[in-house]
Each structure stands twice: as C-alpha cells, then as structure tokens.
Amino acid sequence: MSQVSYMRNNMNKPVFIDFGCGPNMSYSIKYKLNGYYIVIIEKSEEYLYENLDMGRPDIEWFKMIADEISFFDITDSSKSVMNKADVWNCSSVLEHVDPHDIDPFLTGLKNNCKDKSKGLIHIDLTDHFGGFKHRTTPEEYNHFIKNFYQEKEWYEIIEKHFTIKAWHKLFWYEDSPDNSPDKKYYHILGTKNKDMIVNSENCMAVDFTVYT
C-alpha cells in the first residue's frame, strides 16, 4: 500500500497523540485497539529508548503501534505533526522541562491539537525514587528534574493554556513499603474552588484532565 493510500484510509480515524511517551507505549496501544490513528512525538529517537529496561528495540517495534512518529522539539512553534490530536496524553514529562521552556512547551502541545481536544497531563512531583530529596538537595537532581513546582503552581501554569476539567492528587498507600514493586497510588479529587488549592508537600503526582 502506498503512503498516499495509507493516509487516505486513515483520514477518518480520530487521532491520539502521546507527547514525550519515551518507551512507554501503553496509552498508544490502548487507543490503537480502540480504532485511533496513533501519533507519537519525541525530541529525538534516543528519547524513545531512554530508561528502557527490556533493552533497546528497533524503531520498527514502535512503527507497529504508531501510525506517525515525529522527532522535533515541541517548543519549536515552526514544527507540527500532519494529523493533530482529538485526544492526547503527556505523562511524566513536564517535571523534566526547564522553567523558562514550560510555557513554550504547553503552547506547542496546544498547537498540535484540534479545537476541543481532550488531554491528560500527568506530572511526577517526586525525586523519581519515591521521595522529595530534590527539594532539599536540588543540585543532585537538576540534571534530570528541571523544576520543583508543586500542585498549586502547576494548576496556575496549566490553566493559562487549557481549560481544566478535573484534576487529581496522587499519594502512596501509607502501609506500602518504600521499595515494594506493588506500591500503589490512591487518588484524591481536586477541589473546583481554586482558592482551596494548596500544596500538600507529600503529594507524589498530579493529574489534569484538560480541553483546548
């Protein structure tokens, strides 16, 4: 099948984009099985393989899932995908973005989405080892955690770019051992009263469901 024929056959599908997925294709697989046209965007091909435990796969493995793979810096407003998102995901990415690049990054997300698109933004607020040492010793972490905002600051940042439909705080179950592979989150639904939003200090992550 030619590229033109392939694109024509997929034009009527809704589009799902995973921004900065790395090697985690779980969201893309879920939407693929539900009939979506799948797009993944990464800064470079190397980012697809970052922190991959199972060893480096061939790019063909990603092509079996994704219909379109784009490598560019999302903060570059001159770059965009061919097919913009109806639904999208950006998980565990924003904590790795330099503070001065956060607004351009979020603008880039929006520029690659259709009007009224729905997105999920997940931000890991920990030091990525289960704690918060990045706040007390930032010099040890700023090579991979670029900012140290908490949920209140993130709400204010996100709402400048998107309509926030809902948000959740995530905490570990208190009786879970720190090194347990079965350690689980529990969710607390965020208040709709913005004046009541406060930093929890021990919040592990925050999720935002948003619309463009």
Side-chain angles (χ1 to χ4, degrees), residues 34-45:
N34 282 283
Y36 281 71
Y37 180 91
I38 305 302
V39 180
I40 59 176
I41 301 176
E42 269 294 1
K43 194 171 185 179
S44 70
E45 186 173 338

Side-chain angles (χ1 to χ4, degrees), residues 15 21 31 35 39 71 75 108 118 151 179 189 194-195 197 206:
V15 177
C21 63
Y31 281 95
V39 180
F71 298 115
T75 65
K118 179 181 179 181
E151 59 263 40
N179 59 354
L189 181 63
K194 182 182 174 183
D195 293 336
I197 298 169
V206 62

